[in-house]
Amino acid sequence: MTNVNVVASYLNNIEPLNGANFPEWKGKIMTYLAWNDLDLALREDKPTVAVGQTSAALEKWARSDRMALMVMSQTISAGIKGAIPTKDAQGADLSAKVFLEKIEENFKSSSKTYASTLIMKLVASQYDGKTGIRQHILNMCDMANKLKEMQMEISDGFLVHFIMTSPPSQYSAFKINYNTNKAIWSISELISYCVEEEERLKTEKMKDVVNMVHHMSISDNPPKNQHESGSSKQGQKKFKKKGNQNFGPRNNNKFKGKQSQGGKMLCSFCASPKHLQKGCPGFKEWLKQQGNIKIDVVSFIDELFLAYLSPNTWLIDSGATVHISNSLQVFNTIRTIRRGERSLRVADGNMVEVEGVGSFSLELPGGFQLNLDDVLYVPSLKRNIISVSRLDKSGHVCEFGNSVCNIKFHNISVGLGHLQGDLYLLSLDDNYSVMNVCDAMHKRKRENETSSKLWHCRLGHISRGRMERLIKDEILQELDFSDSEQCIDCIKGKYAKTIKKGATRSTGVLEIIHTDNCGPLSVKSVDGYDSFITFTDDYSRYGHIYPIQKRSDALEIFKIYKAEVEKQHNTSIKIVRSDRGGEYYGIHAQYGQIKGPFAKYLEENGIRAQYSMPGEPQQNGVAERRNRTLLDMVRSMLSYSSLPVELWMEALKTAAHILNRVPSKSVPKTPFELWNERKPSLNYLKVWGCPVKAKLFDPQQKKLDSKTVSCHFIGYPEKSKG
């Protein structure tokens, strides 16, 4: 006999049938009934016996039927239960099997809705780095199996490929390895490889973690003729960490370092188990006696820690007593302070200047604005710090646990911080960043539009010199270079050992055209291309770019390019300069060149071909440098954004679009101006990969339908007006 309490516990774990969850509800009902050997009435018809006779089989079936009906009735919501009949046309009670069929008839359409929901969840699944990559893959496999049960089968090969699109950018190298590997992975192999990669990334990250160090801020009124408060002219001492050596009273060797008693950490100053040294009242009082020192404790990490994160990272620090920002763009109000008025001592013992104090607001995911006051502006620091103690004074509560910091205001959760290494990273709204703070705080839009950092990203990470030339030519408004700093994404994308040299130019458009192929690249674009070809006008440096499938497509692409540019400029191409690749030159034979289709076409149209000498790629330097510059910009743009590497072709087209509108050392004006005889406009430029709202044309759109969709900016239209 089945224990009633056990059955009751099963019932409590079943989500009531509400219409949208029918497939899941049915699966659980069948499972629980089978576990308790109560599914006989659902599997077999009622046994027949003679009138007036009984049998054990009939009794078993009747009990199964009764219990199955009871379980199903108890797990149907009240609003639905009344719509399902319980008796047939003759007034007899329905059996459990017929009752389940009636339910299924009512919810055939809901199964389609459920399938649509599963498909949307599967498509939108992205690994968040919290649950573990194994669990993430298993969840996606579970959704695929549920779709399979509804005759919407997804092949294992497609599922593996689809899962590989869900990990974040940290897995880019792993994705490239998968795309270039000819072997077909099974689901189990995929899980194994992904877990190994996750462990490798964790190991590498832990190698770069530098323990947090505490720093002291000097008093606002330093002693006369001294830049560092807390030190006297008689006995200036630098605090150096040597073994267990400590400053102040700890040098009496009474308490060296932190001691453990019963598993508890002791204060290094007074040996109390109730607090650590940084919170010791006696230690603070001693410091005040030494030089009237005001203690501002901040914790920060070396730049190697989480180097892949944007400088717009905000760290929640329980040991900090002040908020710190490294960018002026976030401040609502700010007061500049005199040099030497306030300083911070960093880990290497040097002093860094505090250049201002103000307030600003951070846009959190739920729409809540976190207002921070008395924030120090320290541009030399690479990360921003939020003090837990300051939040507490402003009425906010921070709860730590399970690798999450939950920020509450009036007992309402308003923000979250997730543990990364040894620090908590504050989650901000997707549309908020230092780069587009104007979207989060409209009153700062005009000031933000003058940010050199913002325009550096909008213009595809071009150099400061090019931006200054745009300002000089009045194509770009005056910019504030105070927030300019070394761009980590530029270092990642553009590092080179050599310095390029200048060259002479032709005197008119289409006199010389430089061309070169690039590819195949290790990752195909979303359109299936792995190579591209460029054509660059020598006089203007205006460039065109075309995706190609194979090198032999060069001739057909050149015909398209030639027809367009000659028609637009009413002149002919005179010289084509290229390397000696087979697609341009032809075949090298024993007695000389066997001209290929490209070389023959140039000859037939009166176009002179100029080839670089073997082993001398610098002779085709314009095309070679153009390809290198394009790929440098693409790498920097992909590094700055969170978009997949498969969108490199869109980034490449955007980079070419930008290069045609910014100056270079080789031309006196922008390529666009020399090519079109008018100055370009840059007002429409956006940061590649930034979140945007787009209005789509839909003739079937209803009045109450949303007019925009959330997406990311990936390029400018080539064949459209506007």
Side-chain angles (χ1 to χ4, degrees):
M1 297 290 288
T2 303
N3 193 307
V4 177
N5 294 330
V6 175
V7 175
S9 66
Y10 288 156
L11 294 178
N12 293 331
N13 292 327
I14 300 177
E15 183 182 1
L17 177 64
N18 55 29
N21 64 339
F22 173 74
E24 185 177 1
W25 174 85
K26 181 182 178 182
K28 289 185 177 182
I29 288 292
M30 299 298 292
T31 301
Y32 293 145
L33 292 175
W35 280 351
N36 293 275
D37 197 22
L38 297 174
D39 61 337
L40 178 64
L42 299 177
R43 294 185 287 107
E44 300 179 5
D45 295 330
K46 181 178 180 181
T48 56
V49 293
V51 179
Q53 296 182 357
T54 60
S55 67
L58 179 60
E59 292 180 356
K60 185 177 181 180
W61 184 93
R63 180 179 178 276
S64 172
D65 184 68
R66 186 173 62 258
M67 295 295 293
L69 282 170
M70 182 186 69
V71 170
M72 287 187 287
S73 299
Q74 293 298 317
T75 55
I76 301 176
S77 60
I80 296 176
K81 188 182 296 184
I84 302 173
T86 58
K87 297 181 180 295
D88 58 16
Q90 287 75 33
D93 294 335
L94 298 177
S95 65
K97 186 176 182 180
V98 177
F99 184 69
L100 183 60
E101 291 173 353
K102 294 289 185 182
I103 298 175
E104 194 165 5
E105 288 177 1
N106 284 272
F107 296 106
K108 281 183 178 179
S109 60
S110 66
S111 62
K112 297 179 181 179
T113 305
Y114 182 67
S116 301
T117 303
L118 282 177
I119 293 172
M120 294 300 296
K121 289 178 64 176
L122 184 64
V123 172
S125 292
Q126 294 291 320
Y127 180 47
D128 56 7
K130 302 174 186 176
T131 59
I133 190 72
R134 184 193 301 274
Q135 186 61 45
H136 169 70
I137 296 174
L138 292 176
N139 291 339
M140 295 188 69
C141 291
D142 180 62
M143 288 185 282
N145 289 332
K146 290 179 178 178
L147 290 172
K148 184 178 180 180
E149 293 174 357
M150 291 181 282
Q151 287 76 46
M152 298 182 184
E153 186 172 354
I154 299 176
S155 66
D156 290 347
F158 178 83
L159 183 60
V160 169
H161 187 77
F162 194 79
I163 292 174
M164 285 299 300
T165 64
S166 63
S169 57
Q170 293 93 314
Y171 290 78
S172 297
F174 182 68
K175 293 179 182 178
I176 293 174
N177 180 55
Y178 166 75
N179 292 328
T180 56
N181 196 332
K182 295 182 179 180
I184 301 176
W185 296 353
S186 64
I187 295 294
S188 58
E189 290 175 330
L190 175 65
I191 294 175
S192 176
Y193 296 151
C194 287
V195 171
E196 290 179 4
E197 179 67 11
E198 184 177 45
E199 293 299 322
R200 185 188 68 81
L201 292 174
K202 288 181 180 179
T203 303
E204 287 188 356
K205 185 172 68 175
M206 293 303 297
K207 289 179 180 179
D208 295 333
V209 174
V210 180
N211 293 329
M212 294 182 293
V213 294
H214 303 290
H215 312 281
M216 294 181 294
S217 164
I218 307 304
S219 169
D220 291 343
N221 299 308
K224 190 177 182 180
N225 299 326
Q226 294 183 20
H227 294 288
E228 301 179 15
S229 62
S231 63
S232 64
K233 196 172 183 180
Q234 304 167 345
Q236 286 185 342
K237 296 181 180 180
K238 293 183 179 180
F239 302 128
K240 297 181 179 180
K241 187 176 180 180
K242 294 182 178 180
N244 288 330
Q245 183 182 357
N246 301 292
F247 57 88
R250 294 185 293 172
N251 287 336
N252 60 9
N253 293 327
K254 186 176 180 179
F255 304 109
K256 290 186 178 181
K258 297 179 180 179
Q259 301 182 13
S260 178
Q261 182 179 6
K264 294 184 177 181
M265 303 302 295
L266 306 181
C267 174
S268 300
F269 185 82
C270 65
S272 172
K274 297 182 180 180
H275 57 253
L276 298 180
Q277 180 181 308
K278 66 181 181 181
C280 179
F283 179 62
K284 293 181 180 180
E285 185 63 28
W286 177 82
L287 287 174
K288 291 180 181 180
Q289 295 174 1
Q290 300 304 305
N292 192 28
I293 299 178
K294 176 186 175 181
I295 304 297
D296 277 340
V297 182
V298 299
S299 301
F300 89 65
I301 53 179
D302 190 269
E303 185 65 14
L304 290 176
F305 177 66
L306 298 179
Y308 59 88
L309 294 175
S310 167
N312 187 38
T313 299
W314 296 86
L315 305 176
I316 305 174
D317 187 1
S318 61
T321 60
V322 289
H323 304 307
I324 295 179
S325 173
N326 61 14
S327 175
L328 281 172
Q329 299 301 313
V330 298
F331 283 90
N332 297 328
T333 60
I334 189 168
R335 175 182 65 87
T336 58
I337 59 179
R338 300 187 305 272
R339 182 176 179 84
E341 181 179 341
R342 196 167 187 178
S343 303
L344 293 176
R345 188 184 300 276
V346 297
D348 58 4
N350 296 322
M351 304 299 296
V352 295
E353 295 294 331
V354 179
E355 299 186 6
V357 181
S359 62
F360 63 83
S361 302
L362 291 175
E363 192 78 18
L364 301 183
F368 182 83
Q369 281 196 340
L370 184 63
N371 299 315
L372 304 179
D373 299 320
D374 195 23
V375 184
L376 305 184
Y377 170 52
V378 186
S380 59
L381 298 186
K382 300 302 182 183
R383 296 290 181 265
N384 308 288
I385 296 174
I386 295 179
S387 167
V388 173
S389 60
R390 290 279 183 174
L391 288 179
D392 182 65
K393 292 179 181 179
S394 62
H396 298 81
V397 178
C398 296
E399 297 179 351
F400 296 87
N402 297 323
S403 302
V404 174
C405 173
N406 188 11
I407 302 176
K408 294 185 176 181
F409 189 70
H410 295 310
N411 293 325
I412 300 175
S413 181
V414 297
L416 292 175
H418 300 282
L419 188 64
Q420 295 282 346
D422 293 332
L423 295 177
Y424 291 88
L425 270 63
L426 179 67
S427 299
L428 301 177
D429 186 82
D430 293 338
N431 296 323
Y432 178 89
S433 71
V434 173
M435 296 294 106
N436 61 356
V437 69
C438 56
D439 296 329
M441 299 177 290
H442 297 285
K443 62 182 180 181
R444 293 203 44 89
K445 182 172 183 177
R446 179 170 297 182
E447 183 181 61
N448 188 71
E449 284 295 317
T450 64
S451 168
S452 64
K453 187 184 294 184
L454 170 63
W455 280 99
H456 174 70
C457 296
R458 282 181 175 178
L459 294 170
H461 297 261
I462 65 174
S463 66
R464 176 169 176 170
R466 285 189 170 187
M467 294 168 64
E468 291 175 343
R469 287 186 59 182
L470 288 171
I471 297 172
K472 183 180 179 180
D473 295 339
E474 298 182 350
I475 299 175
L476 196 61
Q477 75 263 30
E478 291 290 334
L479 298 180
D480 179 15
F481 286 94
S482 62
D483 62 348
S484 178
E485 61 183 20
Q486 191 173 39
C487 180
I488 301 299
D489 300 297
C490 285
I491 296 175
K492 293 178 180 179
K494 303 180 182 180
Y495 179 79
K497 296 181 180 179
T498 58
I499 301 175
K500 57 185 180 182
K501 301 178 181 180
T504 58
R505 283 192 310 117
S506 56
T507 57
V509 295
L510 301 186
E511 285 189 10
I512 302 176
I513 300 297
H514 304 267
T515 180
D516 190 30
N517 277 320
C518 185
L521 303 185
S522 58
V523 179
K524 287 188 176 183
S525 68
V526 292
D527 297 329
Y529 295 99
D530 60 2
S531 305
F532 62 92
I533 186 172
T534 58
F535 301 100
T536 306
D537 176 61
D538 186 74
Y539 171 75
S540 64
R541 291 298 197 265
Y542 195 92
H544 290 72
I545 182 173
Y546 299 90
I548 57 176
Q549 295 281 6
K550 52 186 181 295
R551 290 180 176 269
S552 58
D553 295 339
L555 176 58
E556 295 301 320
I557 297 298
F558 177 74
K559 291 179 181 179
I560 297 173
Y561 169 77
K562 178 177 179 295
E564 177 184 347
V565 297
E566 290 184 348
K567 187 73 171 179
Q568 296 297 323
H569 292 275
N570 197 26
T571 186
S572 301
I573 297 174
K574 298 172 181 61
I575 299 173
V576 173
R577 188 172 294 171
S578 67
D579 57 24
R580 289 180 177 262
E583 68 275 19
Y584 297 117
Y585 186 82
I587 303 175
H588 301 271
Q590 182 178 1
Y591 302 102
Q593 175 192 5
I594 300 177
K595 296 179 181 177
F598 199 106
K600 291 180 180 179
Y601 180 82
L602 295 181
E603 189 176 68
E604 292 169 357
N605 287 271
I607 302 173
R608 191 170 62 175
Q610 291 184 352
Y611 304 109
S612 61
M613 296 300 293
E616 300 291 336
Q618 66 274 12
Q619 294 183 350
N620 192 33
V622 173
E624 296 283 355
R625 285 194 300 271
R626 173 55 62 100
N627 287 349
R628 190 185 74 180
T629 302
L630 287 169
L631 291 178
D632 287 347
M633 294 176 66
V634 168
R635 284 189 289 266
S636 299
M637 292 156 69
L638 288 172
S639 175
Y640 185 79
S641 73
S642 59
L643 298 182
V645 71
E646 288 81 5
L647 290 174
W648 65 265
M649 181 61 73
E650 307 305 322
L652 185 72
K653 293 178 181 178
T654 302
H657 183 89
I658 294 171
L659 283 181
N660 288 331
R661 286 157 178 80
V662 298
S664 66
K665 295 180 180 179
S666 55
V667 292
K669 301 178 180 180
T670 65
F672 185 92
E673 188 172 355
L674 294 173
W675 186 261
N676 296 298
E677 298 182 349
R678 59 185 176 90
K679 289 185 177 181
S681 173
L682 303 180
N683 296 329
Y684 62 92
L685 294 184
K686 301 294 182 182
V687 178
W688 192 86
C690 67
V692 295
K693 298 288 186 180
K695 183 178 180 181
L696 300 180
F697 175 73
D698 183 8
Q700 306 298 324
Q701 186 180 59
K702 300 178 181 177
K703 291 186 177 181
L704 298 180
D705 291 345
S706 177
K707 293 186 176 181
T708 62
V709 295
S710 299
C711 52
H712 288 81
F713 171 75
I714 60 172
Y716 306 97
E718 298 178 348
K719 307 291 184 183
S720 300
K721 184 178 183 300

